[in-house]
Amino acid sequence: LMFAFTVGGIITQFQSSRSSGDAGATVLTWSRGKVTDKELRGRRIARNQLLAFIQAAQRLARERDRTLINSGIPETDAEESLVQTMVLAQKARELGVVVSDTAVRDYLQRITGDAFPNPNELPSLLRKTTGGNMTVNQMFATLQEELLAQRMLDRKSTRLNSSHIPLSRMPSSA
């Protein structure tokens, strides 16, 4: 409850401070960071490209008679959703949660019903659906951010249900 209130306050602050001028202008600040109009536009483009790719991959997977699961990524590019994802992902990183490249690959297999055994199919589909405007590295970075936010939401939901969900933590340096 407290965490939701904190994120809600950040989003409210964001809405009231939104400027339509300078692209480099800071449109939101909070105790742990800030976001510029340019960064927010970049996040919007990345999410839209990612969603187009996921929708195309799932469409092909359905054609291959695979059982699919929901991607869990908000299907909106609303500023509030983008900011919430950014704040939740940052909080997850502060708590030591990590999403590896292997976890991203596993996620892609799960949401497509493992319909792409050829490792070159998904990068080819990414180029096709984004017009070459998103690289595989950019897609992985965007997915890692989305999955970090999902883990924080899962963690919050799990706490409300009084059960435990294992989270990946960075190895301690000792």
Side-chain angles (χ1 to χ4, degrees), residues 89-146:
Q90 180 180 355
K91 181 66 176 173
R93 282 189 292 275
E94 289 171 3
L95 292 173
V97 179
V98 295
V99 175
S100 67
D101 287 352
T102 300
V104 170
R105 282 190 285 280
D106 291 346
Y107 165 83
L108 288 170
Q109 287 178 337
R110 280 193 318 275
I111 67 166
T112 61
D114 205 15
F116 300 95
N118 179 346
N120 294 323
E121 276 187 285
L122 289 177
S124 175
L125 183 62
L126 178 65
R127 281 189 300 279
K128 182 178 175 184
T129 58
T130 67
N133 291 319
M134 179 178 250
T135 67
V136 171
N137 288 341
Q138 289 169 325
M139 186 254 302
F140 267 59
T142 303
L143 267 174
Q144 286 168 331
E145 183 94 351
E146 296 286 352

